Amino acid sequence: MIPSGEALKIVLNNVRPLATETVSWHDACGRILAKDVVCDMDMPPFNKSAMDGYACRREDLPGPLHVIETIPAGVTPTQEVAPGECAKIMTGAEVPEGADCVIMVEHTKEEDENYIRFTKTTTDTNICYHGEDVQSGDIVLQRGTRLAPRHIPVLTGTGCVRPEVAVQPKVGIIATGNELVEPECLPGISQIRNTNSGQLRAQVEQIGAAVTYYGIVPDVESELDATLKCAMEANDVVLFSGGVSMGDYDFVPDVMTRNGIDILFDSLAMKPGKPTTFGVGASTYCFGLPGNPVSAFLQCETLVKPFLFALMGHAFQAPWTEKRIAETYTRKKTAREAWIPVTLSKEGIVQPTSYHGSAHIAALTDIFGFMIIPQSIASISKGDKVTVWVL
Ligand code: AMP
Ligand code: MG
């Protein structure tokens, strides 16, 4: 058994980064930047008015000021503002030479024709200065950034309309188990619905993987072998669910080995998820995830997703936090690190949920995350701090 942190290190140390491609900025959200984005111009590109008002010289206030022209956004001023003068200006328009502030229209009153007066005693400058946000040549987005909606205006604002991004990892999902039927079917006697495939698909598609689903394969070596061969040809990563434990029909590790996958670990000191298996082939990686749904879910969150991000050149930040626990938690067996689903109170205290073990996926419906009880720790007292993986 290896600790979960060790497993993550092994997985990440074996990453061979994927190729890159360029995409239209229209399709860039969610993708991982493969190159720094460099700004092609100063921002703002000119001294810009932040208000609708009058551009003038602060020393001339409160006026009266002679209005020499009106400057709409997108129009270049034609005159310098001289002593005793101002130009009516709209938000986003270029501030004329000579002016050092813009007084808000709400803080003025019209006097004679083409004359205004400032009605307050002080004003902000209300000018966004040329180049104060970003300068030409600045790196505005770093490679490895996972593009979120807030990054799109940074891309497009700097003229980067075809960013270079990592290609999406191709992930094949194979469900194993004679007892499984697809969710559309009513399970017969001794059967259950295959819930892992849809869950794993949702988990990895959410981070940008392109999934091919290979269906439910019975626990028959020859059929598992044929499906793995097929999936290895077409994918960067193959995810098995089930078939990696100690049962008579758990053939997945053997089938992986037979197909040239070098198994780097097959036992984690983590509950749930002990039989999680990871191996590397010449051009494909393979995860054997335990069939129990909570195990499959957690191992996908904690190992598969960081691995897929790393393939795309993105450093995944594990969502750790620390919280106090509402009640004393004790356990008998301490050989493995335990991951316990918890809810969060309004006061910010975590409470273990009623949880019957790794098949009990419905226990995760409203949880805040999983608290971690480290290896060899039997008890955590009420009020103590625990480390939590936030979902
Ligand atoms: P296994 O890892 O194949 O020994 O399966 C462990 C447990 O998970 C068994 O109770 C299986 O019935 C269940 N299980 C396996 N695969 C799935 C699946 N795709 N969806 C839901 N439960 C599953
Ligand atoms: Mg099975």
Side-chain angles (χ1 to χ4, degrees), residues 2-14:
I2 59 168
S4 60
E6 185 66 23
L8 181 60
K9 270 191 207 146
I10 292 173
V11 159
L12 295 180
N13 283 342
N14 280 280

Side-chain angles (χ1 to χ4, degrees), residues 175-176 179-180 192-197 241-243 245 250 290-293:
T176 75
E179 74 279 29
L180 302 177
I192 59 164
R193 289 196 176 97
N194 166 22
T195 59
N196 288 349
S197 300
S241 114
S245 303
D250 290 331
N292 266 316

